[in-house]
Amino acid sequence: MTFDEVLEQVRELVQSKGRVAYRALKRRFDLDDAYLEDLKAELIDAEQVARDEDGKVLVWKGGTDEAESENRRIGETENQQLPQNARR
């Protein structure tokens, strides 16, 4: 399995469960410490969809940025549709 395939499976697992122990990830996916660190770097630092809890658990924090971006786009679209004098 490639890194991207493992990453996708770990992302889906953490997203569905909400939180997963690093030890469980290592056992489930037969990961060594370096591989786990790479996955954490991607999900926590690069994608910012998860956070570390006490160095023991990976916790899903989700796509809040995506939701905020979508809300911003909706607001901008609505603002563009208002007459010039109705915009704030």
Side-chain angles (χ1 to χ4, degrees):
M1 203 175 334
T2 68
F3 177 81
D4 289 332
E5 291 169 334
V6 174
L7 176 63
E8 184 60 29
Q9 286 188 17
V10 169
R11 183 187 299 110
E12 289 173 4
L13 178 66
V14 177
Q15 185 177 15
S16 68
K17 290 185 167 277
R19 52 194 299 116
V20 179
Y22 295 131
R23 291 177 65 156
L25 289 175
K26 288 175 74 170
R27 173 80 58 189
R28 179 176 285 199
F29 295 99
D30 194 27
L31 307 175
D32 63 20
D33 290 336
Y35 206 106
L36 180 61
E37 289 302 313
D38 292 343
L39 291 169
K40 288 167 53 178
E42 186 63 26
L43 294 171
I44 295 170
D45 301 324
E47 296 181 15
Q48 297 183 347
V49 295
R51 65 178 174 80
D52 174 83
E53 186 175 278
D54 300 326
K56 296 179 181 180
V57 178
L58 188 62
V59 179
W60 184 255
K61 67 178 196 176
T64 55
D65 293 339
E66 293 173 22
E68 289 173 8
S69 295
E70 182 63 23
N71 289 338
R72 248 191 316 264
R73 277 194 297 276
I74 291 169
E76 289 170 0
T77 302
E78 290 174 0
N79 192 32
Q80 290 172 355
Q81 294 172 352
L82 292 174
Q84 186 70 16
N85 61 356
R87 292 183 190 166
R88 292 182 178 176

